[in-house]
Amino acid sequence: ETGVTQTPRHLVMGMTNKKSLKCEQHLGHNAMYWYKQSAKKPLELMFVYSLEERVENNSVPSRFSPECPNSSHLFLHLHTLQPEDSALYLCASSQDRRQSFTEAFFGQGTRLTVV
Amino acid sequence: AQSVTQLDSQVPVFEEAPVELRCNYSSSVSVYLFWYVQYPNQGLQLLLKYLSGSTLVKGINGFEAEFNKSQTSFHLRKPSVHISDTAEYFCAVRAYNTDKLIFGTGTRLQVFP
């Protein structure tokens, strides 16, 4: 148990569906991240939020829409995805660079399959 | 910008043998360095981290890593591996002045009996 919880653990969705991934942390961190992990590819940083403000968007397609309503919660809204978007989506949290440093803590991930 | 290179995509080794997983990084500013481990269908778990101070860092499960600034390396070592160490290992870097944690491509450690 790392203190970062992701739901659901598994998700199968059609290309026309709309779904959301949820991430929750109660570690008192103020930075949260979404990563995509595809088979045989490196971990890709998608989004970074610091104090609920998006500070990084790594050229992610608009069919992925993040939302950070508060420092404890992070969502990834999905719509009209493609089969190549199938991957393990990992959420992480840490303190941001303005605070005492901590490492990033990761959730267990959501295994997404787009059919 | 920062980048991380893990030269070995797979490292096969017999149980109780020593192992070294290599990691090199590139950065124009000072960085924090990390090794994470990922077991099948799991998230990433921190093995160890280098923030400052002693260049030899000890982590969980008997792993250690040495920060070498001149060679921009942070290789991970274990003197005697177990079957249970079979997993994917990721090296990561974070610059002091950013919130971005950048990962290498990972090294698959396969321990055989």
Side-chain angles (χ1 to χ4, degrees), chain A residues 30-105:
Chain A
N30 57 10
M32 296 188 78
Y33 312 78
W34 279 117
Y35 285 87
K36 176 183 179 183
Q37 187 177 31
S38 306
K40 302 185 190 301
K41 286 187 177 180
L43 273 159
E44 301 171 53
L45 179 61
M46 300 174 72
F47 301 104
V48 180
Y49 276 83
S50 176
L51 292 173
E52 300 136 50
E53 182 179 329
R54 192 189 309 179
V55 297
E56 188 75 27
N57 175 351
N58 259 11
S59 303
V60 179
S62 59
R63 57 185 183 270
F64 295 92
S65 175
E67 179 189 2
C68 188
N70 56 62
S71 58
S72 298
H73 295 85
L74 183 66
F75 295 90
L76 188 62
H77 303 301
L78 316 171
H79 63 98
T80 59
L81 294 192
Q82 304 298 311
E84 60 265 29
D85 296 321
S86 298
L88 182 67
Y89 288 84
L90 291 164
C91 174
S93 72
S94 75
Q95 292 289 48
D96 79 358
R97 64 188 183 282
R98 292 161 291 192
Q99 309 296 324
S100 300
F101 181 79
T102 66
E103 63 271 20
F105 290 77

Side-chain angles (χ1 to χ4, degrees), chain A residues 9 33 35 37 42-43 45 48 50 56 58 88 90 94-97 101-104 106-108 111, chain B residues 32 34 36 38 41-44 46 49 51 88 90 94 96-105:
Chain A
R9 291 292 309 274
Y33 312 78
Y35 285 87
Q37 187 177 31
L43 273 159
L45 179 61
V48 180
S50 176
E56 188 75 27
N58 259 11
L88 182 67
L90 291 164
S94 75
Q95 292 289 48
D96 79 358
R97 64 188 183 282
F101 181 79
T102 66
E103 63 271 20
F106 282 80
Q108 303 276 49
R111 173 68 62 185
Chain B
Y32 303 115
F34 310 85
Y36 283 84
Q38 185 179 33
N41 298 312
Q42 299 291 318
L44 275 68
L46 183 72
K49 60 188 176 187
L51 305 183
E88 190 91 19
F90 293 92
R94 173 174 162 173
Y96 282 13
N97 60 351
T98 78
D99 294 316
K100 292 176 66 173
L101 183 62
I102 304 300
F103 285 86
T105 50

